[in-house]
Amino acid sequence: MRKKIVAANWKMHLSLNEGKELVHDILKGLQGLDEHKLTVIATPFVHLNQTAGQLQGHSHIYLGAQNCHTEAMGAYTGEISAPMLKSVGVTYVIVGHSERREYFKEDNTMLAKKTDIALHNGLQVIFCCGEHLEIRDANTQNAFVEKQIVESLFHLNAEQLQNVVIAYEPIWAIGTGRTASSQQAQDMHVHIRNVISSKYGQVAANNMSILYGGSCKPSNAEELFACPDVDGGLIGGAALKADDFLFIIDAMTKA
Ligand code: PGA
């Protein structure tokens, strides 16, 4: 049985106190989770230690980070490594978010390295993929997303792949209010599962959690999560309000 996951991506939002309040409110309202229905909160780095403390003693809600460096340590001023994340209690790390790809020029080769170092240090990876609007308009999104997955994940062995979750995030839907239709999400998730199956077999593909991201919010979460191949969501804007985020978690647990 594959896991369903709703993961918050706070991006570069919230002061330390605001983050504390938000986590407090989420924990207060949280219900319905179990070992197959999880939540992740990916905070900015400076929040990690505080949030780790707040999550202590709570089950099925995990701490996430939004990025890590390709190297374990060294002279990389301003960067954060996978072992450091592990040392503060991080379980999941987002790798290859489209904002990192676009603004920080992270390419498939670099993301393969980030995936490696994260897995090597015992972190689980939320690997993001997804196409630009021009690619969707040209109807070449399947080949584009396949290339992202092949070039960044296909060097992994089957055991390593078990610690990877894929998040499909069409770039044209991120923060724009324009959501992919549930049919578009479902079609791409089936495609991604087929890509995984072609290399790792049907069982591995069936076990892979594939999340949808891009303007997922209370008004569309139920419909998106009702799709058989949508195993939850990576939530940006709507994860910054406790009520909205709890509603989305609820939609996942009931789907
Ligand atoms: P959004 O962001 O929900 O604000 O569109 C999703 C993401 O970028 O992970």
Side-chain angles (χ1 to χ4, degrees), residues 164-195:
V164 176
V165 169
I166 292 178
Y168 168 58
E169 300 205 300
I171 296 168
W172 44 273
I174 294 177
T176 57
R178 179 180 166 181
T179 326
S181 70
S182 48
Q183 193 59 51
Q184 285 173 320
Q186 168 64 14
D187 289 349
M188 179 56 85
H189 285 218
V190 168
H191 173 61
I192 290 170
R193 219 176 284 289
N194 288 338
V195 169

Side-chain angles (χ1 to χ4, degrees), residues 75 120 137 180 225 240:
H120 185 71
D137 286 344
F225 298 167
L240 298 172

Side-chain angles (χ1 to χ4, degrees), residues 224-235:
L224 284 161
F225 298 167
C227 300
D229 287 278
V230 176
D231 305 312
L234 182 55
I235 320 296

Side-chain angles (χ1 to χ4, degrees), residues 20-79:
K20 189 177 186 175
E21 262 178 54
L22 178 55
V23 171
H24 170 84
D25 292 347
I26 289 167
L27 290 174
K28 215 167 61 183
L30 204 58
Q31 54 186 14
L33 299 178
D34 62 36
E35 60 185 307
H36 300 295
K37 295 173 179 176
L38 319 175
T39 293
V40 176
I41 300 191
T43 75
F45 292 132
V46 293
H47 290 251
L48 288 172
N49 202 29
Q50 167 177 274
T51 308
Q54 289 183 280
L55 297 187
Q56 244 174 37
H58 295 269
S59 304
H60 317 305
I61 175 162
Y62 297 94
L63 185 62
Q66 300 171 18
N67 180 33
C68 69
H69 195 263
T70 52
E71 302 298 325
M73 67 181 77
Y76 301 102
T77 301
E79 290 295 315

Side-chain angles (χ1 to χ4, degrees), residues 9 11 97-99 169 173-176 213-216 234-238:
N9 175 11
K11 308 192 180 186
H97 190 280
S98 63
E99 289 149 17
E169 300 205 300
I174 294 177
T176 57
S215 299
C216 183
L234 182 55
I235 320 296

